[in-house]
Structure formats: C-alpha cells, structure tokens
Amino acid sequence: RDSLYLPADLGRLGAFLAFLGTAAVATALRYDIMIVAAGSELEAAALLAGVCWLTAPLSLGCSAVLAWLIQAHLLGFEVLPLSAALWMFPALVTTQLFFTLRYWLMRGERFRDIARVTVWQNVVRALAPIFFVPLGGGWTGLVAGEVIGRCAGLGSMIRSQGAALRAALTGLAHGDVWRAFKRYPESPAAGLPSALIDAASTLLPLPLLAGIFGATAAGYFALVQRALQLPLGLISRNVADVFHARLAQHARQAPSAARSLFARTSVFLVVIGGVPSLAAVVVAKPLLILVMGPRWAPAGELLVAMIPWTFTMFVVSPLSRAVVVYGGQVLKLVYDVLSLVAVWLVIWWAPRGGWTLAHTVWWLSWTQAAAFVVYYFLLVSLLYRPLPGEPGLQAPGAT
C-alpha cells in the first residue's frame, strides 16, 4: 500500500461525515445558534440547557435514520456498514454539544478559547487514525479517530469552562427553558428546514457520488474536500464567529456600522481566500500526488474542479450569519431549495449523460459557486431591510 488508508476507506468516512454534518443541524432544532443573540444572560443559559436536553434523544433518532438509509440502499449510504449507525450516536452528541458551547463562548467573545479548543480537536482528529493503522486501520480506524477527536475537543472545552458553566446554569428552572424556546419559534419553523436543506446541498453530493461511481471515487472526492476546506474552513469559521458577535451588537444600535462591517469582512475574505485558491490551481495537484502517492492521482483533477465551489463557500458562509441576526430564515429557505435542486439535477443527469466523475464534479462546483454568488446578493439586500423601529433604507444602486 502506498498510503495509510485506501480511497474506499476515505469514501466511507466521507459518507459518514456527510450524514453527520446534515443530521447535526437537526439535533438542536437551531436553538443553539440563537444563544449568541439572546436577550439576556438568563435566556442564553436557558437555551444552552434546553439544547443539551434535546441532543441525546434527537441524536438517537438520527442514528436510527442512518441505519434505515443503509439497509434501504438510499442516497448512496449503502457504501457504509450497518455499524456506522452505532458510531453515529456518540459522534452526533459530541458534535452538537461542542458547537452549542462554542456559541455560548461566542456570546462572551471568548474567541481565543474557541480557537485553542478547535485547533486541539482538529489535531486529535488528524492524528488519531494513525494509531489505528497497526490494528488494521480501514474504515473503522478512520471513524474511531473522528469520534475520539470530537470527544477530545468537547472534553477540553468542558474542562476549561466548567466553573463558568456551573455558574451560568445554577438556579435555572424548566420554565426558563420553555420561555426561551417560545421566544424563538422561527428557529425550528423556518431555520431548521433551511439549515437542513443547506447542509444537504453541501454534504450529500459525496454519498450520491458514491452511489453512482463507487466508494473509491467517493474517496477521491472526500480527500479533495478535506484538502481544500480544512485550512480555509478553520479561518472561515473563526471569522464567522467574530463577525456574528460583532454584527449582533451593531444591528440595532448602529445599522450603518453593521453594513460597513459586512463590506469590510467581504473584502477580507475575498483576499484571504483568493490567494490560496489561485495557488491551489497551480501546485495542489502535483503536491497531492507527492504526499498521498500515485494511487490518489485521479483526485488531482477533482481538486482543481472544486476550487470555485470552495472559494465562494469560504467567502459567503461566514457572512450568512446575517440571516440569524436579521431574521432572514424564510428568504434563505428559498435560496437553499434552489441550491439543492441544482445538486439533484447534476447528480440525476450524470449517469444519463455518461459523465465521468471529474465532469460531474466540475458541474457541481460551478453550479454551487453560482448559487453562492446569488446568496451573497440576497445577504446584501437583507442588510438593507429595515429592522423594527428603523427607517427604510435603499441598497446602493437600488431603484
């Protein structure tokens, strides 16, 4: 073997993570993201506690759904063994609790703590699978490494914030949680469907490609996703956290400052994401083959094809936090449906048109890049939508 894991192993892990990323959106009913903009510290603590109560039963239900998809041979998840449903439960619980605590830290602008714990989690996720190689590695080694890494991140966050968490949750009553949930009915009503569709359009192409081209092809796609999104994703996520917290502060007190923040962040993301994206076009393909071995040569074509999708996602995803602050969930739902329809059209046509894997990924990349461009301008229009008590304003150039 010329690499620690086979492409098919990584393809199965990619399908597992695709379901995890989609299901994790549902395990808090989108109440977690409202912690940042909660009206008081008591309300924020109530949302935190409520999400923690919801996580385990909803994660169990999602794991059962995965088992059904595997057995029914639906959406390409048949590439996974049935044991993936057992691994899914701890992966979902740790993932949801980690992100819930992350939103709570964002509220207090403790970005240094978030960055430290996130880096530690990703280091463990990257290194843990190596220790399973002497035991046979394979798909089990990869998924075990993922779960261990997520547990390490959550454990580190709880250890560092234990005292503050106990202080925030002390004296909290069930009624406080219920009142907090009632205050944000749009989270499960509009935010959850929108977030699920958004996650599906981003993550489901991998298992769907596995269903058409096989686990090995999905492995090439999964490697490319990781190679492009991991370094840019860390930056994008940290920028999103800071942007979200600052935008929530500015939205009502100083709308012009919020719009200025949006513009400055847009420029920053284009510059920071554009440079490595251009470099990847030139050097990433031969570098990938050098590092991973000749077995992974087909992934080089996919890497170049994926750059437009990855770059536009890097720029627009952090800015999409404006939807939460400005209450644009219904508007976003329209975009999400269009984005998912584009994915399904490409995947539906690929076998009928006789497309190769590279050709299919090329079309996926450019259609999703176009969707992100449309989404960006929807976000701009959202920032110029008047908030309650604010006079109406026109976006620049509007007639």
Side-chain angles (χ1 to χ4, degrees):
R1 290 166 64 143
D2 51 21
S3 60
L4 295 178
Y5 289 96
L6 296 172
D9 298 331
L10 198 55
R12 293 185 182 94
L13 177 66
F16 179 87
L17 294 178
F19 184 89
L20 172 63
T22 304
V25 172
T27 50
L29 302 180
R30 299 305 284 167
Y31 284 115
D32 54 345
I33 201 169
M34 303 310 300
I35 292 172
V36 181
S40 66
E41 294 304 317
L42 175 63
E43 186 175 83
L47 289 170
L48 172 64
V51 170
C52 291
W53 294 341
L54 289 173
T55 295
L58 290 176
S59 296
L60 187 61
C62 290
S63 301
V65 170
L66 177 60
W68 173 70
L69 290 173
I70 294 170
Q71 290 187 310
H73 288 241
L74 292 174
L75 300 178
F77 287 109
E78 62 270 18
V79 300
L80 292 172
L82 193 57
S83 61
L86 298 177
W87 286 106
M88 184 56 63
F89 178 72
L92 275 172
V93 170
T94 53
T95 298
Q96 181 57 69
L97 293 180
F98 180 87
F99 278 102
T100 300
L101 292 177
R102 189 164 163 268
Y103 285 124
W104 183 67
L105 291 176
M106 281 172 53
R107 178 179 176 83
E109 299 191 10
R110 284 168 280 186
F111 303 117
R112 188 184 299 273
D113 292 335
I114 293 172
R116 176 179 52 79
V117 174
T118 302
V119 169
W120 168 243
Q121 182 186 67
N122 285 310
V123 167
V124 177
R125 286 173 63 191
L127 295 180
I130 297 175
F131 294 97
F132 288 95
V133 172
L135 301 177
W139 132 262
T140 303
L142 288 173
V143 74
E146 275 291 326
V147 173
I148 289 170
R150 291 168 190 273
C151 290
L154 177 61
S156 177
M157 187 174 284
I158 291 174
R159 284 193 302 272
S160 65
Q161 304 298 326
L165 280 169
R166 285 192 295 272
L169 298 176
T170 298
L172 202 64
H174 287 79
D176 297 322
V177 174
W178 178 243
R179 281 189 292 274
F181 278 3
K182 284 176 65 177
R183 186 158 182 246
Y184 299 102
E186 73 278 1
S187 292
L192 179 58
S194 174
L196 280 171
I197 295 171
D198 183 33
S201 64
T202 302
L203 298 169
L204 286 185
L206 191 148
L208 292 173
L209 288 172
I212 298 172
F213 298 102
T216 298
Y220 296 141
F221 185 80
L223 177 67
V224 168
Q225 276 191 319
R226 284 197 157 197
L228 289 174
Q229 293 179 8
L230 184 59
L232 292 179
L234 286 173
I235 300 171
S236 178
R237 196 173 298 118
N238 289 329
V239 172
D241 291 345
V242 177
F243 175 74
H244 188 168
R246 296 283 191 268
L247 193 68
Q249 289 177 354
H250 292 325
R252 294 186 181 274
Q253 287 81 11
S256 61
R259 295 165 191 132
S260 176
L261 173 67
F262 184 91
R264 292 196 311 272
T265 306
S266 299
V267 173
F268 173 78
L269 289 167
V270 167
V271 173
I272 296 298
V275 173
S277 295
L278 290 174
V281 173
V282 179
V283 304
K285 180 177 178 179
L287 184 62
L288 184 149
I289 296 172
L290 177 65
V291 172
M292 299 296 296
R295 183 192 300 274
W296 294 89
E301 296 179 56
L302 305 188
L303 192 150
V304 176
M306 284 282 291
I307 289 174
W309 186 0
T310 305
F311 170 68
T312 51
M313 182 188 299
F314 172 79
V315 173
V316 179
S317 289
L319 301 172
S320 68
R321 300 286 181 92
V323 167
V324 180
V325 175
Y326 282 82
Q329 286 90 344
V330 174
L331 179 65
K332 181 178 181 293
L333 182 58
V334 175
Y335 152 77
D336 290 327
V337 170
L338 293 175
S339 177
L340 185 60
V341 167
V343 169
W344 278 104
L345 285 175
V346 171
I347 295 296
W348 176 81
W349 182 254
R352 291 162 177 79
W355 289 356
T356 64
L357 174 64
H359 196 184
T360 304
V361 171
W362 187 92
W363 274 103
L364 278 172
S365 180
W366 280 105
T367 54
Q368 292 306 298
F372 272 116
V373 171
V374 172
Y375 189 18
Y376 177 84
F377 287 105
L378 289 175
L379 293 172
V380 171
S381 70
L382 187 62
L383 261 74
Y384 283 86
R385 173 187 294 180
L387 291 165
E390 180 192 352
L393 293 172
Q394 270 195 321
T399 56

